[in-house]
């Protein structure tokens, strides 16, 4: 049975308010970081950050600056706008190789929306050189499920004359990456259904973490930043699930229902 047929698009309310909520998340993030200062205790390993569909490196600059402040080395994807051309994976594979060679350390890969789909595929291709994957509202578990951006995705494909997702790739996308993976999602996502942004089954290396927020704001959401700061310190050898504080605030910002 195809479970994607049971999934519906996010409501029009969530869609129409997504951009406004994203601006509020950016503002709250700036306030939050002016109050709370994270320790610069990163080990300096490289972190590749991939933007979402139609996004560029400009959209991830705030996140990359935060990662650098933690003591890691954040890198742009370097391909202008993400136009959903999966041939870009070849360039990104070379980038993983180059970063691994430069630092002699595995690369953490963070992907926002479609960027997270890329991140998972990179880890499958280069599992010996990818340290972990963190996805932000990435629809890897239902490429054909209804969403509020598919019409734009199809129009861009037609305009550029590029092929859509082939059946082999669609079948492979939900398969977990063979590295520690944190799938961050929000049930208030106005662009893609949250159900397609999570692992079907969690295990000792694959975890889903829910936050409150919009799709367009995940790259500036203070809760997401908190998770990333926590996750980047781990390697596969010592990786353990993210656990929010057992306080009212922890339960509110990281709901489990």
């Amino acid at each position: 049975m195809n479970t994607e047929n049971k999934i519906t698009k996010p409501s029009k309310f969530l869609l129409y308010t997504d951009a406004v909520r994203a601006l509020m998340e950016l503002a709250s993030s700036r306030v939050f970081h002016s109050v709370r200062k994270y320790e610069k205790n990163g080990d300096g390993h490289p972190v590749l950050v991939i933007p979402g569909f139609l996004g560029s490196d400009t959209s991830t600059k705030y996140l990359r600056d935060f990662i650098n402040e933690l003591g890691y080395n954040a890198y742009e994807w370097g391909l202008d706008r993400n136009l959903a051309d999966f041939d870009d994976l070849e360039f990104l594979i070379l980038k993983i190789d180059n970063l691994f060679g430069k630092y002699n350390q595995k690369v953490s890969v963070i992907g926002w929306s479609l960027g997270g789909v890329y991140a998972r595929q990179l880890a499958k291709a280069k599992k010996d050189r990818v340290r972990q994957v963190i996805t932000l509202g990435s629809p890897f578990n239902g490429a054909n499920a209804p969403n509020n951006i598919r019409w734009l995705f199809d129009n861009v494909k037609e305009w550029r004359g590029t092929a859509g997702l082939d059946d082999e790739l669609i079948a492979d996308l939900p398969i977990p990456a063979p590295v520690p993976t944190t799938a961050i999602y929000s049930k208030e996502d106005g662009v893609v259904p949250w159900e397609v942004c999570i692992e079907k089954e969690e295990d000792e290396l694959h975890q889903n973490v829910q936050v409150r927020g919009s799709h367009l704001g995940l790259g500036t959401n203070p809760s997401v930043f908190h998770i990333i700061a926590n996750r980047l310190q781990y390697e596969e050898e010592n990786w353990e699930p993210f656990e929010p504080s057992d306080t009212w605030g922890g339960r509110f910002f990281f709901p489990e229902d």
Side-chain angles (χ1 to χ4, degrees):
M1 181 181 295
N2 187 354
T3 57
E4 290 184 10
N5 293 332
K6 299 181 179 180
I7 297 174
T8 60
K9 299 178 183 179
S11 70
K12 290 183 178 180
F13 173 78
L14 289 177
L15 172 64
Y16 296 154
T17 61
D18 204 275
V20 175
R21 290 183 287 125
L23 291 175
M24 295 174 63
E25 288 162 57
L26 173 59
S28 65
S29 185
R30 292 187 180 278
V31 171
F32 180 80
H33 290 130
S34 68
V35 175
R36 171 167 183 175
K37 300 297 183 182
Y38 286 88
E39 292 185 15
K40 187 172 183 177
N41 57 3
D43 61 4
H45 81 266
V47 181
L48 177 61
V49 184
I50 307 176
F53 178 55
L54 297 183
S56 67
D57 287 321
T58 300
S59 68
T60 64
K61 185 178 186 306
Y62 189 54
L63 173 55
R64 286 183 283 109
D65 287 346
F66 174 70
I67 293 169
N68 286 328
E69 289 172 5
L70 293 174
Y72 304 98
N73 286 290
Y75 279 84
E76 305 172 346
W77 89 312
L79 284 171
D80 200 21
R81 293 196 179 276
N82 186 342
L83 296 177
D85 186 349
F86 276 80
D87 288 340
D88 290 340
L89 283 172
E90 296 181 11
F91 172 85
L92 294 173
I93 286 173
L94 290 176
K95 189 150 193 168
I96 292 291
D97 286 338
N98 290 336
L99 290 174
F100 180 83
K102 178 178 180 179
Y103 289 91
N104 196 29
Q105 290 180 285
K106 291 184 178 181
V107 185
S108 289
V109 187
I110 300 174
W112 186 356
S113 193
L114 180 62
V117 177
Y118 283 36
R120 288 167 59 92
Q121 297 307 106
L122 282 175
K124 294 173 188 178
K126 288 291 179 178
K127 63 180 181 180
D128 59 330
R129 299 192 172 188
V130 172
R131 174 167 167 157
Q132 66 173 294
V133 167
I134 302 173
T135 61
L136 316 180
S138 301
F140 56 82
N141 205 4
N144 286 329
N147 62 66
N148 285 322
I149 203 171
R150 184 57 187 255
W151 65 274
L152 184 56
F153 181 90
D154 291 339
N155 284 339
V156 168
K157 285 290 187 183
E158 182 177 357
W159 166 62
R160 300 188 72 230
T162 53
L165 303 180
D166 60 59
D167 292 340
E168 183 178 353
L169 179 58
I170 289 176
D172 187 68
L173 293 180
I175 298 174
V179 301
T181 302
T182 305
I184 300 174
Y185 70 100
S186 170
K187 289 188 176 182
E188 297 145 15
D189 193 313
V191 177
V192 296
W194 65 268
E195 296 95 332
V196 303
C197 301
I198 60 176
E199 304 278 8
K200 292 181 179 179
E201 295 183 7
E202 295 179 286
D203 56 35
E204 65 276 5
L205 289 180
H206 300 85
Q207 182 185 19
N208 304 316
V209 182
Q210 183 184 171
V211 299
R212 297 187 183 277
S214 65
H215 184 86
L216 297 178
L218 286 172
T220 59
N221 186 305
S223 297
V224 172
F225 279 30
H226 181 72
I227 297 169
I228 289 173
N230 175 273
R231 298 290 81 198
L232 288 179
Q233 65 183 311
Y234 291 104
E235 302 179 64
E236 182 170 352
E237 292 74 18
N238 65 350
W239 197 88
E240 58 185 43
F242 171 78
E243 293 187 8
S245 61
D246 189 22
T247 62
W248 179 89
R251 292 189 295 273
F252 177 81
F253 290 108
F254 306 100
E256 296 183 353
D257 58 332

